[in-house]
Amino acid sequence: MPLLRSTSNMSKVSRCFVSLGKQCRLNSTTTSPPADGHLPSVASSELLRTKRDSSLRTPGVIWADKDATAPPRIALGGRETRKMNTYQAIRDAMSIALSKDENAVVFGEDVAFGGVFRCTMGLAEEFGRERVFNTPLTEQGIAGFGIGLALMGHTAIAEIQFADYIFPAFDQIVNEAAKIRYRSGGSYNAGGLTIRTPTMSVGHGGLYHSQSPEGFFMGASGLKIVIPRSPVQAKGLLLGSIRDPNPVIFMEPKILYRSAVEQVPIDDFELPLGKAEVLVPGSDLTLLTWGTPVYHCETALHLLATPPPELDSIIPSSLRLSKIELIDLRTILPWDVETVIESVNRTGRLVIVHEAGMTAGAGAEISAEIQKRCFLKLNAPVRRVTGWDVPVALQYEKFHIPDAIRVLDAVMETLTY
């Protein structure tokens, strides 16, 4: 039985909270905790690169002005950064793409006005409304128009206003964009197409504004799917997606548009697609995720290492020193098989976390592949922590997403299997 969901353990937690409440009422000098608690939030995450040096040293950065034949080195001198949130970093990436590629265009619903999340704010004024323009409310038309532009040699940066609305474009994306290179024998391709779309929960989006549809595209050979976790990642991965020779669906976690803030290099740079990043090295368990849940996983690791008084009796002291390896997958298709396999072969355990439902989600494909390739090294079954297999509710959305407590529960259960 899961450690935190058992009746006895849950009753202990309840008694702890009741006892704590009584103490607070009896002792007027007790300091109340901050509104967002003592645990790390997105804004205070240690994973964010809030200093210039750490930003410029982001692993895998490929500077556009660097000689590709030169030996690899990290050049910090002369490069500057600016404080940006995620939507500003995305806007910066598109501005660079438009300024350096005269064939690049940005289009979608309301993008000329700045878009609903302000990611294209000012681009129409800067580059003209012939290159940054609105479209009718037709996702199928946006995708089809983008495919046509790409086939004619343009760099098409399309926006689907919410990932929840991408399904009318499914036929164009899967049957046309992904297959046109094969269908034409290499004569044509839609590699110039990048489709941006906000994804994942926002706390109150409900069934039409909080879905995570990346898993629906897992079987579409010819596509790439990218989901960044932060401003630096968003800028580098978006520029990498725009310049990749394959059509890319670039899904942007909408809750991170304003909550994730970093120092972002102002120069033109890319981050590699198809490559995961090890955020926290470890040896006892591999925790794999992408997008917003990266920060829930970070919080879960803090709870495990230094549990609050309410959970002190629930979390065995023997588990608190466990070394958990946290990996951000970043590219969901094609996913970085080698990095995950290498990690799981060392740790012997894998927990996968994503906001989409469990059935046929991206975690199912990853789990199956790891079970096949690492079977003799596994010390416990691969565990998945996901959204529930129901529509995202109009109320109590927090109970739908895999939060830190559910991740902690899965980690503890896997470590003690």
Side-chain angles (χ1 to χ4, degrees):
M1 180 178 291
L3 293 172
L4 295 184
R5 288 200 293 269
S6 66
T7 304
S8 59
N9 284 337
M10 288 304 295
S11 63
K12 288 179 183 178
V13 174
S14 300
R15 288 198 298 273
C16 287
F17 279 120
V18 171
S19 175
L20 184 64
K22 289 180 178 178
Q23 292 176 15
C24 290
R25 289 194 298 272
L26 292 174
N27 186 357
S28 60
T29 63
T30 300
T31 302
S32 299
D36 56 353
H38 294 291
L39 293 171
S41 63
V42 174
S44 62
S45 171
E46 297 175 0
L47 303 176
L48 294 174
R49 299 181 178 272
T50 57
K51 304 294 184 182
R52 172 184 175 272
D53 281 5
S54 63
S55 175
L56 294 176
R57 295 179 187 274
T58 298
V61 164
I62 304 168
W63 302 105
D65 59 0
K66 184 179 176 181
D67 183 0
T69 63
R73 62 185 178 88
I74 299 177
L76 301 184
R79 299 197 186 276
E80 297 299 330
T81 63
R82 187 168 69 245
K83 186 178 180 181
M84 301 183 196
N85 58 28
T86 303
Y87 90 75
Q88 291 168 331
I90 289 169
R91 193 263 183 210
D92 194 41
M94 286 188 284
S95 177
I96 289 174
L98 287 165
S99 64
K100 291 195 170 185
D101 181 359
E102 63 181 13
N103 288 318
V105 292
V106 174
F107 55 94
E109 298 165 8
D110 298 328
V111 299
F113 311 138
V116 293
F117 292 104
R118 318 312 294 161
C119 292
T120 56
M121 187 166 55
L123 290 180
E125 290 74 17
E126 184 177 353
F127 296 100
R129 291 184 179 268
E130 291 184 350
R131 299 184 66 196
V132 181
F133 51 88
N134 294 330
T135 66
L137 304 182
T138 166
E139 288 74 24
Q140 183 179 18
I142 292 170
F145 181 69
I147 293 168
L149 280 173
L151 292 177
M152 296 299 292
H154 288 273
T155 299
I157 306 170
E159 178 183 300
I160 301 295
Q161 198 167 83
F162 286 88
D164 313 64
Y165 301 152
I166 205 168
F167 299 108
F170 194 84
D171 175 65
Q172 289 290 322
I173 296 170
V174 175
N175 271 337
E176 303 299 338
K179 295 180 173 65
I180 191 66
R181 179 182 278 115
Y182 172 78
R183 176 186 176 188
S184 67
S187 298
Y188 298 95
N189 71 84
L193 174 64
T194 301
I195 298 177
R196 296 179 40 254
T197 186
T199 190
M200 296 189 174
S201 65
V202 71
H204 51 266
L207 63 168
Y208 290 135
H209 292 86
S210 284
Q211 297 179 76
S212 300
E214 66 267 19
F216 287 93
F217 297 95
M218 287 293 286
S221 300
L223 284 180
K224 292 189 177 182
I225 305 170
V226 179
I227 303 179
R229 71 172 184 275
S230 70
V232 172
Q233 297 291 312
K235 179 176 177 178
L237 290 171
L238 180 53
L239 283 169
S241 299
I242 291 169
R243 294 161 180 168
D244 192 89
N246 300 280
V248 179
I249 302 177
F250 191 84
M251 296 184 167
E252 304 157 4
K254 64 179 78 71
I255 195 68
L256 302 181
Y257 275 138
R258 288 171 172 79
S259 60
V261 179
E262 289 183 310
Q263 288 291 328
V264 180
I266 62 176
D267 290 338
D268 183 355
F269 70 94
E270 299 177 25
L271 288 170
L273 273 57
K275 185 66 177 176
E277 182 181 356
V278 177
L279 302 178
V280 180
S283 57
D284 297 319
L285 182 145
T286 301
L287 186 56
L288 178 67
T289 187
W290 52 88
T292 308
V294 166
Y295 302 99
H296 302 321
C297 291
E298 181 190 20
T299 301
L301 298 188
H302 279 270
L303 286 171
L304 179 65
T306 55
E310 297 82 10
L311 297 178
D312 189 68
S313 62
I314 306 298
I315 301 175
S317 57
S318 60
L319 298 183
R320 299 179 190 182
L321 297 178
S322 298
K323 304 298 182 183
I324 311 299
E325 182 148 295
L326 177 60
I327 299 178
D328 178 9
L329 195 59
R330 300 195 295 185
T331 301
I332 315 306
L333 182 70
W335 61 282
D336 188 352
V337 180
E338 289 74 20
T339 295
V340 179
I341 287 176
E342 189 279 329
S343 177
V344 176
N345 278 335
R346 283 189 293 102
T347 65
R349 299 174 177 87
L350 175 63
V351 174
I352 305 168
V353 183
H354 61 68
E355 285 195 12
M358 178 176 288
T359 302
E365 172 62 27
I366 297 170
S367 176
E369 193 67 21
I370 295 301
Q371 295 272 24
K372 180 182 76 172
R373 298 200 186 200
C374 305
F375 183 75
L376 296 179
K377 296 284 188 177
L378 288 173
N379 298 318
V382 176
R383 179 71 182 269
R384 288 176 288 161
V385 185
T386 70
W388 306 114
D389 284 334
V390 297
V392 181
L394 292 170
Q395 297 185 36
Y396 307 115
E397 187 171 292
K398 185 180 184 302
F399 297 116
H400 179 86
I401 63 174
D403 62 6
I405 290 295
R406 288 176 59 195
V407 174
L408 173 64
D409 185 35
V411 167
M412 292 172 59
E413 187 177 355
T414 304
L415 285 170
T416 57
Y417 180 80

